[in-house]
Amino acid sequence: MSAIFEHGYALIIGVDANQMPRLALPSVAKDVQAIYDVLAHPQRCAYNPENVRLIKGEKATSKEILDGLYWLQEKVRGDGEATAVLYFSGHGMVDKAADQYYLIPYDIRELSRLRADAIKAETFTAEISDIRAQRMLVVLDCCHAAGMDVKNVDLAALDTSRFQTAAFPLDLPETKSVPVFAAEPGAKNISDLLDGEGRAILNSSNNAQSSFVRNDGAMSLFTYHLIEALTGHAPHPDDATVVYVTDVMSWVTHQVKKSAREQGRDQTPVMKTSGVFPIAMLLGGQGVAKGIGQLPPNPLEPLPTPAGATVNQAGGNIVSGAAGGDMAGGDINKTTIKKKGGVHIEGGFSGGSYVGGDSTVIQGDQITGGEKFTGSKISIGSVSGNNNAIGDNPQVSSYIQQGMNSDELTQLFNSFMGQVAQSDPTAVAKVVALQAEVTRGEEADDEKIADLIGDIAEAAPSAVEGLSNLFAYAEVAKAAGTTTQFILRRISR
């Protein structure tokens, strides 16, 4: 069985989209998602998903990026044995007139507003320095230098007389350049993850080079080899069960340089470190021999469905949404599922309502103004929709009062079958099988349910939201084990 590395924390930032279309980096979205999945997967790096935060797309604004850094600072502040990973992928530019380096967020309006909209290198570096983890790895995959078109970016309109693309000048004072590592860690168990201390920085290329994408477009060369290093490709003792930062940096540096050369290009990662320390579990802490039983996994292959995984779980029930994102305090302003105090919530909520209790199921479009929900009783000030129901579903009121009986459960699944049939009628049989398994409650086959969910989501993508909403109901959620929860979380992203 895999073990969760509870002392590991990670912030992954990918500025893949941009309000200025010519600055968009589509491949970055693939990179950051792949890094997130590997770090949070219980059979890979085994970080607790609640301790891994992903910022990408339209959320990668200047404010959200800085808020993410503050989040990481807070996470490690209360853990004297913390290991932190910060990964950033996006554009970096120098305003030559001001001799100032900036990271480009999603919400930059024009390059002429670089000083107003972008993030100064000094600000970013200062916040990184305030992440007081015992061990920290900073990974920077900035798209820079000549040849930006390698990431399908059109920067022909860039005013090179004023702006210059460049590598991020991050330099933590305690680190130093090290050309080659030859560490022999010999790690044996999860306690080794608490050994050592230090800081390490890994840049995807030097200041005069570009960060290239694989010929197949699957992800960048740098990210591909980074995932390789995190999953057992880097040389290690046969009994190793953790991954050392030196293994990662040495492997990535050599392999990226080699792969770029095979593509007729030059790219050499730059690394600095102040120590040798472990940063992740190796294949869930089992090592290559036990975890895989053969060669280390290919980063391009789908991740396995974990057996006994704990993913965004609280009290044994479902929690969906990005950890630290949709679920991080405050209000929920879009359709999601949130778990607090034992309650499942689905729908759009505003006004900072307090929610408590242990069995209530709520569904609806809008609930406004500081209402309080406790136990199985609900006090509601203003609810939009049917006066005899909450939201659009006339059955929900009775579900809240007395739970679902078999007829109501069938009606719920029949409604969902209608959604699936509109997308792919052949997938209805999978829904029938899912209903049959769910009715077994806690005796249901968790892996069978997870497989059926995956099949339905693949066949009928438009029904994914409805599929997730099914498991917001307590009677359905009873059948959801940790493997099902993992799959639900993946399809909901």
Side-chain angles (χ1 to χ4, degrees), residues 240-355:
T241 57
V242 298
V243 181
Y244 273 70
V245 69
T246 47
D247 301 333
V248 170
M249 298 174 89
S250 182
W251 178 263
V252 171
T253 300
H254 292 126
Q255 295 301 316
V256 168
K257 186 175 181 179
K258 176 183 175 183
S259 293
R261 190 182 303 117
E262 290 172 352
Q263 294 187 184
R265 294 160 169 170
D266 290 322
Q267 182 179 346
T268 303
V270 178
M271 53 188 176
K272 296 184 178 183
T273 187
S274 65
V276 176
F277 53 91
I279 57 168
M281 301 184 74
L282 179 56
L283 301 181
Q286 299 183 76
V288 174
K290 293 182 180 179
I292 298 294
Q294 49 187 353
L295 295 176
N298 184 335
L300 300 182
E301 294 177 353
L303 291 172
T305 299
T310 301
V311 180
N312 273 12
Q313 185 181 15
N317 292 308
I318 299 171
V319 179
S320 114
D326 293 350
M327 294 162 25
D331 301 329
I332 304 177
N333 295 316
K334 63 179 182 178
T335 300
T336 186
I337 301 170
K338 180 176 179 180
K339 170 78 166 56
K340 183 175 182 179
V343 180
H344 297 271
I345 308 169
E346 188 277 329
F349 292 76
S350 63
S353 300
Y354 170 85
V355 182

Side-chain angles (χ1 to χ4, degrees), residues 106-401:
Y106 165 81
D107 54 336
I108 188 170
R109 288 165 281 184
E110 289 292 339
L111 287 180
S112 60
R113 296 184 58 85
L114 200 65
R115 300 173 194 175
D117 295 344
I119 302 172
K120 285 185 178 180
E122 288 89 340
T123 301
F124 196 72
T125 302
E127 298 305 336
I128 290 176
S129 296
D130 241 7
I131 300 170
R132 305 298 173 84
Q134 186 86 342
R135 294 157 289 276
M136 183 167 68
L137 170 63
V138 178
V139 181
L140 299 164
D141 188 7
C142 292
C143 191
H144 52 262
M148 294 282 276
D149 60 312
V150 297
K151 283 196 174 181
N152 301 317
V153 180
D154 178 14
L155 290 182
L158 180 63
D159 181 2
T160 56
S161 66
R162 178 174 175 182
F163 305 110
Q164 176 184 351
T165 55
F168 192 87
L170 177 61
D171 187 14
L172 298 179
E174 65 270 30
T175 61
K176 61 182 179 179
S177 296
V178 181
V180 178
F181 291 109
E184 295 293 337
K188 293 184 178 180
N189 54 56
I190 191 170
S191 64
D192 290 335
L193 280 166
L194 309 182
D195 291 343
E197 60 183 66
R199 297 286 186 273
I201 307 169
L202 182 58
N203 268 357
S204 63
S205 58
N206 66 40
N207 195 43
Q209 297 173 331
S210 297
S211 184
F212 294 98
V213 175
R214 286 170 52 92
N215 285 334
D216 60 12
M219 62 180 72
S220 69
L221 289 175
F222 178 76
T223 300
Y224 176 83
H225 291 302
L226 175 60
I227 292 176
E228 276 191 330
L230 291 171
T231 55
H233 289 259
H236 57 270
D238 291 340
D239 60 348
T241 57
V242 298
V243 181
Y244 273 70
V245 69
T246 47
D247 301 333
V248 170
M249 298 174 89
S250 182
W251 178 263
V252 171
T253 300
H254 292 126
Q255 295 301 316
V256 168
K257 186 175 181 179
K258 176 183 175 183
S259 293
R261 190 182 303 117
E262 290 172 352
Q263 294 187 184
R265 294 160 169 170
D266 290 322
Q267 182 179 346
T268 303
V270 178
M271 53 188 176
K272 296 184 178 183
T273 187
S274 65
V276 176
F277 53 91
I279 57 168
M281 301 184 74
L282 179 56
L283 301 181
Q286 299 183 76
V288 174
K290 293 182 180 179
I292 298 294
Q294 49 187 353
L295 295 176
N298 184 335
L300 300 182
E301 294 177 353
L303 291 172
T305 299
T310 301
V311 180
N312 273 12
Q313 185 181 15
N317 292 308
I318 299 171
V319 179
S320 114
D326 293 350
M327 294 162 25
D331 301 329
I332 304 177
N333 295 316
K334 63 179 182 178
T335 300
T336 186
I337 301 170
K338 180 176 179 180
K339 170 78 166 56
K340 183 175 182 179
V343 180
H344 297 271
I345 308 169
E346 188 277 329
F349 292 76
S350 63
S353 300
Y354 170 85
V355 182
D358 57 5
S359 62
T360 303
V361 178
I362 307 168
Q363 183 184 38
D365 297 329
Q366 185 76 21
I367 296 180
T368 60
E371 281 77 36
K372 182 176 181 180
F373 301 85
T374 58
S376 60
K377 295 181 180 180
I378 300 179
S379 172
I380 299 175
S382 175
V383 181
S384 66
N386 194 312
N387 292 330
N388 298 317
I390 297 179
D392 298 325
N393 192 332
Q395 278 72 46
V396 175
S397 294
S398 62
Y399 298 164
I400 293 172
Q401 296 296 325

Side-chain angles (χ1 to χ4, degrees), residues 416 420 427 430-431 434 451-461 463 467:
F416 177 62
V420 172
K430 297 288 186 180
V431 180
L434 177 64
D451 288 340
L452 289 168
I453 289 173
D455 291 342
I456 295 167
E458 183 177 359
L467 184 57

